[in-house]
Amino acid sequence: AFEGLCRVLPLMRFISSYVLIALSQRSLYQLRMQLSRQILSAPLAQLERFGTPRLLASLTTDIGHISGALVSLPMLCMHIAIIVGSLSYLLWLSPPVFVGTLVFMLLGVLSYYLPVQRARGHFRRLRETWDSVFEAFETLTEGVKELKQHRPRRRGFLDTMLEPNLVQIQDQSMAGNVLYAAASSWGQALFFILIGLVLFVSPSLTGATAEILSGYALVVLYLMTPLEVLLNTMPTLTQAAVSVQKIQRLGLAFDQVGPESSAPDRVLPEWQELRFEEVTYTYPSEDPERAEEGFKFGPVDFELSPGELVFVVGGNGSGKTTFAKLLLGLYKPDGGHVYFNGSVLDGDSVDDYRQMFSVVFSEGYLFDSLIGIPSESIDRHAGTHLSMFGMDEIVKVEDDRYSTTDVSKGQKMRLALVTAYLEERPVYVFDDWAAEQDPSFREVFYS
């Protein structure tokens, strides 16, 4: 029987580890995909309020913490099984001694739990600080030229924006981990106290034999390793729990994925009319108690028919971009209605409606890969469009992607325009496209 167990043990250990590793990695994959889909499905206004740093912190720091917890689960489950088996053996050896041991262990867990709770508070504050750190990193990477050019600004950035947050990260992380280390050391001392109680106190209370007591001492010593692993995993599990709470507070609940992230392609109806009727939109104030005092757009009445060329003009802050986002279905009106072919645009149809537009945003993102565009359209028109805007000697299209996007801002806008033309959609929207262009290319664009 012993030989048979020795043969089965490595096989069963491998199988259980494989199953748990596969489960954890599959869960991590699903978590990343669900969060990405949720970001794509969330209203644009909500994402803009969150800001890029908070989203990046969730996609990197939070996912990293959850990943660490999932990876540690296989080993953790194995050691929990050892603990359960060992405790069951102790119960079989001597129920009276086991009851005393269990009471002592419960008191020990309680004394361990108190510093752990304080450590959890440090890790919660640590996670909140990471949002500010990512904001500082965004400033560092996007404003590096300006920081190099202006020494006082650079010094102020390092002294007031970056360093205080990094010091806070260091202090909170150190405080949390030190508390866990202290709790772990106390937990280890409790084992030896328990062995002393079993060997020197329990005989007079329970009448246990030397054989039972030696068995207890050996099993308690054997339990030290799995319990130490369990205690050392607690910081990872705590950080993962804080990260899960942070993601949920963003409002991006994992089980609430909108339809647009995986909506099937549908044939769009031929459009005849697009109409705004008393459409309004309000940007909420940053002060929650004065939300009604935010910037208000509208009411606007507007009609658009196929074949029209419409210029939207106005000063800075007059609402041109807000109007464009309402037109594109990126913002949901607070009041009034948007009509498409005589029907009110609602949540179920808004993603289909968006597929009618090709857009070039003034601060948009330029994809180097022409994903989502039929290869035949690229082969047929890309060269002509690149030549039209003077980009054919700088950029080539190879394997349905631009050979480079490392060009000037004006040239990036031209590549974005080429991409929009290749999409061949019914309606084109240009957000201040000509602002970065030479007069000759403005001439091409406007005529």
Side-chain angles (χ1 to χ4, degrees), residues 42-46 48 260 281 321 324-333 345 350 353-354 359 361:
L44 178 64
Q46 185 183 20
E48 290 175 341
E260 64 190 68
Y281 185 81
T321 300
K325 290 176 179 178
L326 287 164
L327 177 68
L328 295 167
L330 294 173
Y331 280 179
K332 181 180 179 180
L345 190 66
V350 68
Y353 167 82
R354 289 191 198 125
V359 193
F361 295 103

Side-chain angles (χ1 to χ4, degrees), residues 47 98 354:
L47 297 177
F98 176 78
R354 289 191 198 125

Side-chain angles (χ1 to χ4, degrees), residues 298-313:
V300 169
D301 294 301
F302 172 74
E303 291 187 13
L304 186 67
S305 301
E308 287 192 83
L309 180 63
V310 177
F311 287 82
V312 180
V313 297

Side-chain angles (χ1 to χ4, degrees), residues 36-310:
S36 298
R37 287 193 177 102
Q38 185 61 48
I39 289 174
L40 289 174
S41 298
L44 178 64
Q46 185 183 20
L47 297 177
E48 290 175 341
R49 287 196 298 272
F50 290 157
T52 301
R54 292 178 66 186
L55 294 175
L56 283 176
S58 287
L59 287 168
T60 54
T61 301
D62 289 330
I63 293 295
H65 288 159
I66 296 171
S67 169
L70 289 174
V71 169
S72 68
L73 279 180
M75 190 64 67
L76 190 64
C77 291
M78 185 178 67
H79 285 292
I80 289 174
I82 293 173
I83 293 170
V84 172
S86 298
L87 291 176
S88 301
Y89 177 66
L90 292 179
L91 176 61
W92 177 80
L93 273 179
S94 174
V97 177
F98 176 78
V99 171
T101 301
L102 192 61
V103 170
F104 180 83
M105 292 180 68
L106 290 175
L107 293 174
V109 168
L110 180 61
S111 66
Y112 176 84
Y113 180 76
L114 295 176
V116 165
Q117 278 298 97
R118 291 192 61 186
R120 181 186 287 268
H122 286 291
F123 283 127
R124 190 176 295 111
R125 290 188 288 274
L126 170 67
R127 176 57 190 86
E128 295 296 335
T129 307
W130 268 113
D131 288 342
S132 300
V133 170
F134 270 91
E135 184 178 358
F137 286 163
E138 184 182 37
T139 302
L140 175 64
T141 54
E142 296 187 6
V144 64
K145 296 188 293 296
E146 290 78 3
L147 292 171
K148 282 179 173 292
Q149 193 68 33
H150 197 284
R151 187 183 295 117
R153 180 182 293 124
R154 181 170 68 243
R155 190 180 300 117
F157 165 75
L158 292 171
D159 293 344
T160 65
M161 189 172 181
L162 182 61
E163 186 176 16
N165 286 311
L166 292 180
V167 168
Q168 182 80 348
I169 291 284
Q170 171 189 271
D171 292 346
Q172 296 295 343
S173 181
M174 186 172 178
N177 283 295
V178 164
L179 282 170
Y180 270 114
S184 180
S185 299
W186 170 241
Q188 193 175 49
L190 288 173
F191 280 104
F192 293 102
I193 296 173
L194 176 59
I195 291 173
L197 291 173
V198 168
L199 292 178
F200 304 122
V201 177
S202 64
S204 61
L205 297 177
T206 63
T209 65
E211 185 180 18
I212 291 175
L213 297 178
S214 62
Y216 256 83
L218 286 173
V219 172
V220 170
L221 285 171
Y222 182 66
L223 276 172
M224 287 183 66
T225 297
L227 280 171
E228 189 172 356
V229 170
L230 182 63
L231 297 179
N232 290 336
T233 310
M234 288 300 296
T236 301
L237 298 178
T238 299
Q239 288 181 328
V242 171
S243 292
V244 169
Q245 291 172 359
K246 183 67 176 179
I247 291 175
Q248 289 175 336
R249 282 204 302 272
L250 285 178
L252 308 178
F254 299 150
D255 58 348
Q256 295 178 355
V257 178
E260 64 190 68
S261 62
S262 56
D265 291 333
R266 288 186 278 264
V267 178
L268 298 176
E270 191 74 22
W271 81 287
Q272 303 297 327
E273 178 196 37
L274 195 161
R275 177 163 53 91
F276 281 19
E277 187 177 279
E278 295 290 312
V279 167
T280 62
Y281 185 81
T282 303
Y283 289 92
S285 172
E286 294 186 3
D287 184 355
E289 296 181 357
R290 305 171 64 183
E292 71 282 353
E293 298 181 14
F295 171 75
K296 295 182 179 180
F297 170 87
V300 169
D301 294 301
F302 172 74
E303 291 187 13
L304 186 67
S305 301
E308 287 192 83
L309 180 63
V310 177

Side-chain angles (χ1 to χ4, degrees), residues 262-421:
S262 56
D265 291 333
R266 288 186 278 264
V267 178
L268 298 176
E270 191 74 22
W271 81 287
Q272 303 297 327
E273 178 196 37
L274 195 161
R275 177 163 53 91
F276 281 19
E277 187 177 279
E278 295 290 312
V279 167
T280 62
Y281 185 81
T282 303
Y283 289 92
S285 172
E286 294 186 3
D287 184 355
E289 296 181 357
R290 305 171 64 183
E292 71 282 353
E293 298 181 14
F295 171 75
K296 295 182 179 180
F297 170 87
V300 169
D301 294 301
F302 172 74
E303 291 187 13
L304 186 67
S305 301
E308 287 192 83
L309 180 63
V310 177
F311 287 82
V312 180
V313 297
N316 294 335
S318 60
K320 300 188 300 296
T321 300
T322 302
F323 170 77
K325 290 176 179 178
L326 287 164
L327 177 68
L328 295 167
L330 294 173
Y331 280 179
K332 181 180 179 180
D334 293 330
H337 297 287
V338 177
Y339 291 88
F340 176 64
N341 287 348
S343 299
V344 175
L345 190 66
D346 56 29
D348 295 333
S349 59
V350 68
D351 191 55
D352 288 337
Y353 167 82
R354 289 191 198 125
Q355 310 314 304
M356 193 174 65
F357 298 90
S358 285
V359 193
V360 180
F361 295 103
S362 61
E363 300 294 335
Y365 180 81
L366 177 62
F367 291 88
D368 59 352
S369 175
L370 296 169
I371 50 178
I373 300 176
S375 296
E376 54 271 20
S377 177
I378 297 172
D379 297 337
R380 189 166 59 250
H381 298 300
T384 302
H385 295 330
L386 288 171
S387 176
M388 181 188 304
F389 289 101
M391 298 296 295
D392 53 324
E393 295 184 2
I394 303 172
V395 179
K396 306 296 182 185
V397 176
E398 302 167 348
D399 298 324
D400 293 349
R401 65 188 308 124
Y402 294 124
S403 58
T404 181
T405 55
D406 186 16
V407 292
S408 70
K409 185 173 182 180
Q411 290 171 326
K412 282 186 177 181
M413 293 292 284
R414 285 183 240 161
L415 287 178
L417 184 61
V418 170
T419 302
Y421 284 163

